[in-house]
Amino acid sequence: RLENEAMKPLTAAYIISQAAMGLHHAHGATDATGQPLDVVHRDVSPGNVLVSRSGHVKVIDFGVAKSELRSQHTIASLKGKFRYMSPEQARGIDLDPRSDVYCLGLILWELLTNQRAIQGKSDLQLLESARAPELELVTAYADVSEELAEVVQKATAADPDDRWSTALEFSQ
């Protein structure tokens, strides 16, 4: 971004694919008895996706993650960065792993275009934009394959039912 250049599509796709695999692992976590924890990160943003010098990708900061263990002890509230919220999260609706898929899709869109996906000058404007996103096709800004453009479009669909159903599917 500092050099005003978008990331190469293959590099961006690799990073997001690996981050999706990490989220898939978290989404499938179980307790000691094998019961699903139903983890949703709720704060997938560029600052929480790290790439080591050796190319390993890590998703960090599950501090606002929701799981079945924690949901019994916390009061629901809007957590995360407004610019990287799924529409359902910005509306305060119950979340599932497709919300994290959406957020990774936003990051991929930004890596490929070197543009901000969700625009707004204030937190309120960002929240309103996140609730009703109007993303242009990634091909309007970037020279990417139709296949990759379709992957981004599906990941960033406003309706969760139109997205990849799991982070694993998105990764693949």
Side-chain angles (χ1 to χ4, degrees), residues 79-158:
K79 306 262 186 194
K81 296 167 190 73
F82 296 150
R83 186 179 304 277
Y84 297 100
M85 283 187 176
S86 65
E88 60 272 23
Q89 183 177 1
R91 290 186 202 114
I93 299 170
D94 285 340
L95 304 180
D96 64 34
R98 296 173 299 177
S99 177
D100 290 343
V101 167
Y102 176 88
C103 299
L104 272 183
L106 283 183
I107 297 169
L108 180 56
W109 191 96
E110 290 187 352
L111 291 173
L112 294 169
T113 65
N114 198 35
Q115 305 285 323
R116 292 277 190 202
I118 301 297
Q119 301 290 327
K121 293 181 181 176
S122 68
D123 283 347
L124 182 58
Q125 287 178 344
L126 286 171
L127 185 59
E128 287 301 317
S129 293
R131 286 179 177 156
E134 296 180 11
L135 290 180
E136 288 190 58
L137 295 176
V138 72
T139 53
Y141 297 98
D143 184 22
V144 300
S145 70
E146 281 299 315
E147 183 179 37
L148 183 55
E150 289 172 10
V151 167
V152 174
Q153 188 172 2
K154 184 167 180 151
T156 57

Side-chain angles (χ1 to χ4, degrees), residues 33 49 52 78 85 108 162 167:
T33 67
V49 178
S52 73
L78 205 55
M85 283 187 176
L108 180 56
D162 294 334

Side-chain angles (χ1 to χ4, degrees), residues 16-17 20-21 23-25 27 97-98 101 104 150-152 154-155 160-172:
I16 298 304
S17 175
M21 289 299 296
L23 284 171
H24 175 69
H25 179 75
H27 294 156
R98 296 173 299 177
V101 167
L104 272 183
E150 289 172 10
V151 167
V152 174
K154 184 167 180 151
D161 291 335
D162 294 334
R163 291 183 209 139
W164 304 102
S165 59
T166 68
L168 177 63
E169 286 180 1
F170 180 39
S171 173
Q172 293 170 340

